[in-house]
Structures are given as structure tokens and as C-alpha cells.
Amino acid sequence: MTKLNHKTRRADLAQMQADPLDVLVIGGGITGAGISLDAQTRGLKTGLIEMQDFAAGTSSRSTKLVHGGLRYLKQLAVHEVAEVGSERAIVYENAPHVTTPVWMMLPFYKNGTFGKATTALGLDVYDHLAQVKKNERKFMLNANQALIREPYLKAKGLLGAGVYVEYRTDDARLVIEVIKKAHAKGALVANYVKATELTYNVAGQVDGVVFVDQITGDSGVIHARRVINAAGPWVDTIRKLDGSDAGKHLHLTKGVHLVVDSAKFPLHNAVFFDTPFKDKRMMFAIPRAGKTYFGTTDTTWTKDPKEPTIDARDVTYILDAVNGMFDITPLTFDDVESAWAGVRPLIQEAGKSPSEISRKDEIFHSESGLYSIAGGKLTGYRKMAEKIMDKVAKDIATADSSYRYQPTQTKHLPLAGGDPLGSDGFKVYAYSAIGRGVAAGLTKAQAKVVVAHYGTNADAVFDFVKQAASADTTLSPLDYGQLHYGLENELVLRPIDFLLRRSGELLFDYAHMQAITPAVIAEMRRYFNWSEATTLAMTSEVSAQVKLRQNFKDKINDVI
């Protein structure tokens, strides 16, 4: 197993400065991660820098679905639906541990947006465009059948439902698995490294960046033959550094999701449903590990994209939609255990509302040679990387005859944790790995969680679990094992990296996250030999992230 920790980060950053790269990628979300893997596997020496933690922006704040964009058929975005729809199966086969097929219900109601005919036709078109497997194609239910399948649907006005397959994922873990694979293939990677300037050669062509290490405060220069700006909501910020931000710009829209305990919202199925509002938006409600999460909003965001706020209006909008659609005791602010907000970096389209703007991706190539890519969806990350690297690789091959152009190598390349290849092979591995987890001292349920979370790297986690017995820690063996695996193999540098993005506990196991936070911080203090001041800063960072997801409860009176 290739290590990915603070030591490899320091070595990678030093190597990036010592030897010019072929490709430098700015941005460690899913788009930048995918590009770094694609570039490295085409035989190009690649580096990736991210100013925050990997996936700290949009790529850990999605609806956590690898889905084909059924709702975009309403915009007649046929090409986009076909492209990302066909990518779902590829993502699943390459990373079956973080991608799970789930049956999604699409109920239709009297006077609703969809009827029986339009639902059946839309799902048929979707199945065709997305090249859905025969055993995953849609089927239709009448009203009684729909209520038997999902008793918590509102019965009044229900005419029936379509049922089709989508793929639930852990978006932040998908990103880290891509990055781990890129690093194993030879890519140099570093989180918490901010590009502050672009550098240029005598011909006026971009040839690198000036950076500041956000951990140490050190600065340096990285040179590369080609620089790719995949900074998500900050794409225009990098373009502005280049003076090439004329023309099309990003339009940022905010999406909010809420999490409640399944006892409060005991959904049996994932549901894609109409909202009763004038904006005609649709929402998802998805059960996951004893919780149900749902959303999202879609409103223009013009402030700092780093931490979009969640206000009482956002929460009221979502709760009203859910309470109007499902036959449950109405959910209130107090029922919300956690929440997240992220911004979508969409390509501006004049005269269109946030929900109407296409989710298509677009590539910009400036006169100075800077490549930028924006837009797109989580599901299409691999294809987006392929498209931009086709251009970049041909560009490099044209300029340098010593490099022979290679097409993408990622279509059938398992991600970290995805070996052996494919979903069927993973099932075989999982069966035996769970037994090894129990032998390491976990319960069967805990071992299943580890296998589902880390895939074929579960055995490395089990090794750390065994070490817990002789460690001076108050963490449970499971928490100890996961934390130390993250420290050694997933570039966890701050407690919030582990508590939020590597484990997802801040979102989906809030009570447990609160209980273990002091011990996690204490363990990391020993590991990194932090000072008292650094320890306090890390504690404050976790508190701030918790507050961001709870603060709306103090603002109920703000609702108009």
C-alpha cells in the first residue's frame, strides 16, 4: 500500500518544486482529482495542489448520488443525461465500496408536474440514454402498490410512482479514493497548499504557480508545462490571476441538505419528489445508515463560497416540502441533527433561474495557455477529466516529440479500495474481510461498516484496530483504527478532515462525533506533537464547523 501522510506530503511538495511537472492541477475536488489520475496514467508527470482539504468544497457537499440527472430531461439536456448516465455504471464498477445502487421512487400526484404517461416516458428515455442494465430498468406502480412499497408517502392525490435505479455514494470518500489511486500511480499531491500567483515564461505562457503552504506558512514555486485550473467555485479567481476572466463566468448557486434520525423520518426507499412551490423544484429524500437526509435548495450565492451559510429560510423551505409530501409527524428545526451547504459552480446563462442553468461542463483555454474547467456533475468527473486531458495531452505531444499521446486509461481502472475489479469481485472480498474484522476485535456490524467504507483497504484498517489494545488512548478500537488509517494513508492533517470528510460522522453520526472529538484531538496532538496553541486552534475549527450546521436553529425568528 502506498502511504499518503504528512511525510509524503512534505516529500511530494519538495519534489514538485525541484523538478518541473508535465501537468499541475489546481483544485483537489472531484474534478481535479479525476484529472490528476487521468494525466498520470497517460504517462505525464502530474502534481495536484488544493488550498483546503481534499473535497472540502463542493465535492463533499453534494446530494451524495452518482446519478444521471433525470431532472435535467426537463431542460432537454439530452447529451448531458446520456453522458453522465452512462458514467454511473463505470463509477460503480471502479469503486463499488463507495457506490451503492438504490431503487429510487418518483411518485406522481393529481395536478403534479408529472403524470403516469410522462413519468413512464421520461424514465424510459432515461434508461435508454443512461444505458441502464436490464435488471435495473424502471417499473411502474399504481397508487396502492406505491403506498405498500413506501407507506410514508402522502396518500391524498397519489396516482402512482415510477421506480428506477440511482447510485448512492459518499462524495468525499470518492474524491479521496481517486486521489489515493493517482498517488499510487505516481502523482504528487498536497492538500492545504494555496496557489497565490501564476508564473509565466519569456513567451508569456503560463508555466507554474507561486504557492503558500497553509500548514507551515512556507511559500514556493512549482513549474509545469501545462497548468489546469480545476478550482471549482474558485475557477474565476484563478482565471482572474491570469487576466483571462473575460466572457463567460461562473454562476454560483447554493444547495442545502438536512439530516434527521430515521426514527423521525423512517423512510424505506429513496424518493425523488415534486415540491409544492412555484419554483417547481424537485427534491431527494434518501435513507442512509439510520438517518434520512434530504434537499436541496437552489439559490444564487454571491458571497464567499468557502462556507456558505444555512439560514432559517433554507431550512423552512426544505422542511415544508418534506412535511407536505410525507405522512409523518411534521419535522421541526429541533429534529435536524446536522446539515450541509455547498455551492455549485455553474456556467452563467443570461435570463435563466438557478434551477434552469445547465449542469454541463465547459473548458476554457486562455491565450497564455492556462486550461480551466468548470460546471459538470460529480457523476461525470471521469469523463470531464478525459475531455480536458485529451486536449492537454495532444497539446504536450505537439510541443514535445518525446511524449507520445495516449488516450485515457481510466475507464476500467479500479480506484483505491476498488480492487479486485468490479462489483462482483468486491462482494467476494467483503465476505471474507468481515470475518477478519471480527478476528481483529470488531463486532460483525462494525466490520461491515469498515469494509463498506474502505473497500479492499479494510485490512489495513483492521491492522490499526489491533494496535488499539496496546495504545494509550480513550478511543475505541474502531475509532482508533479509522483515525490512524486516515493519518497514515489519507492525508488527514486536521481533526475536521477526519470527523467530517474521511468518516462523515459530523453529518451522519453527530452524537458519536461529539463524544469522540476530544479524544481524536488528543490523539492527533500526540501524533503531530502539536503545541497548546495549535491544539486550541484545531478544537476551535471543529466547533466552528459544528456551529455552521446548527446556527440556523438560533435564527427561527428570522423567517418571514
Side-chain angles (χ1 to χ4, degrees), residues 47 58 75 79 99 112 195 217 260 283 311 320 351 400 405 423 433 437 518 525:
T58 303
Q75 304 169 5
H79 175 74
T99 315
V260 302
M283 288 190 184
D311 62 40
D320 285 350
D400 183 357
Y405 171 82
S423 55
R525 180 178 186 174

Side-chain angles (χ1 to χ4, degrees), residues 259-274:
V259 182
V260 302
D261 193 270
S262 58
K264 298 284 187 178
F265 191 1
L267 205 60
H268 295 87
N269 301 263
V271 181
F272 184 35
F273 62 97
D274 253 334

Side-chain angles (χ1 to χ4, degrees), residues 266-495:
L267 205 60
H268 295 87
N269 301 263
V271 181
F272 184 35
F273 62 97
D274 253 334
T275 61
F277 310 126
K278 291 181 180 180
D279 60 10
K280 299 297 183 183
R281 277 196 56 69
M282 298 190 72
M283 288 190 184
F284 291 99
I286 302 168
R288 171 177 167 165
K291 308 295 178 183
T292 302
Y293 70 95
F294 42 93
T296 176
T297 59
D298 201 1
T299 54
T300 295
W301 183 255
T302 58
K303 300 177 183 178
D304 184 358
K306 188 175 182 180
E307 289 297 351
T309 55
I310 302 169
D311 62 40
R313 293 174 181 82
D314 298 322
V315 179
T316 298
Y317 175 90
I318 297 172
L319 291 181
D320 285 350
V322 168
N323 290 333
M325 172 56 65
F326 296 94
D327 186 16
I328 56 176
T329 301
L331 297 172
T332 69
F333 276 52
D334 287 339
D335 294 322
V336 179
E337 293 187 355
S338 190
W340 68 87
V343 294
R344 309 172 187 89
L346 308 178
I347 309 299
Q348 188 175 48
E349 294 183 63
K352 290 192 174 183
S353 70
S355 294
E356 293 173 326
I357 298 174
S358 171
R359 269 54 178 170
K360 68 181 179 181
D361 55 270
E362 192 158 343
I363 296 170
F364 305 94
H365 190 199
S366 76
E367 290 184 3
S368 71
L370 176 70
Y371 284 90
S372 300
I373 185 167
K377 290 169 54 59
L378 178 78
T379 310
Y381 85 89
R382 193 201 65 84
K383 198 67 179 177
M384 290 170 64
E386 177 183 338
K387 286 189 287 189
I388 194 167
M389 281 311 305
D390 280 350
K391 295 178 181 293
V392 173
K394 288 175 182 176
D395 187 2
I396 292 175
T398 300
D400 183 357
S401 60
S402 67
Y403 172 70
R404 176 177 289 184
Y405 171 82
Q406 296 182 45
T408 187
Q409 308 292 306
T410 61
K411 187 172 183 178
H412 301 296
L413 180 65
L415 302 182
D419 289 314
L421 179 63
S423 55
D424 290 340
F426 176 67
K427 291 172 186 175
V428 174
Y429 167 82
Y431 181 79
S432 60
I434 290 169
R436 292 192 294 276
V438 172
L442 300 179
T443 67
K444 186 175 182 179
Q446 288 174 328
K448 284 183 178 179
V449 168
V450 172
V451 172
H453 208 64
Y454 299 96
T456 52
N457 287 317
D459 284 293
V461 179
F462 297 150
D463 287 341
F464 285 112
V465 166
K466 294 174 187 175
Q467 296 175 19
S470 59
D472 179 17
T473 182
T474 58
L475 289 169
S476 72
L478 175 59
D479 294 322
Y480 181 93
Q482 288 182 300
L483 174 60
H484 278 270
Y485 177 82
L487 291 168
E488 290 294 333
N489 299 290
E490 295 189 338
L491 243 178
V492 168
L493 297 179
R494 300 173 184 257

Side-chain angles (χ1 to χ4, degrees), residues 198 200 229 234-246 249 370 372:
L198 298 173
Y200 298 83
N229 168 22
W234 294 272
V235 159
D236 280 352
T237 302
I238 302 297
R239 291 173 69 204
K240 191 171 183 178
L241 291 177
D242 183 53
S244 60
D245 58 330
H249 286 78
L370 176 70
S372 300

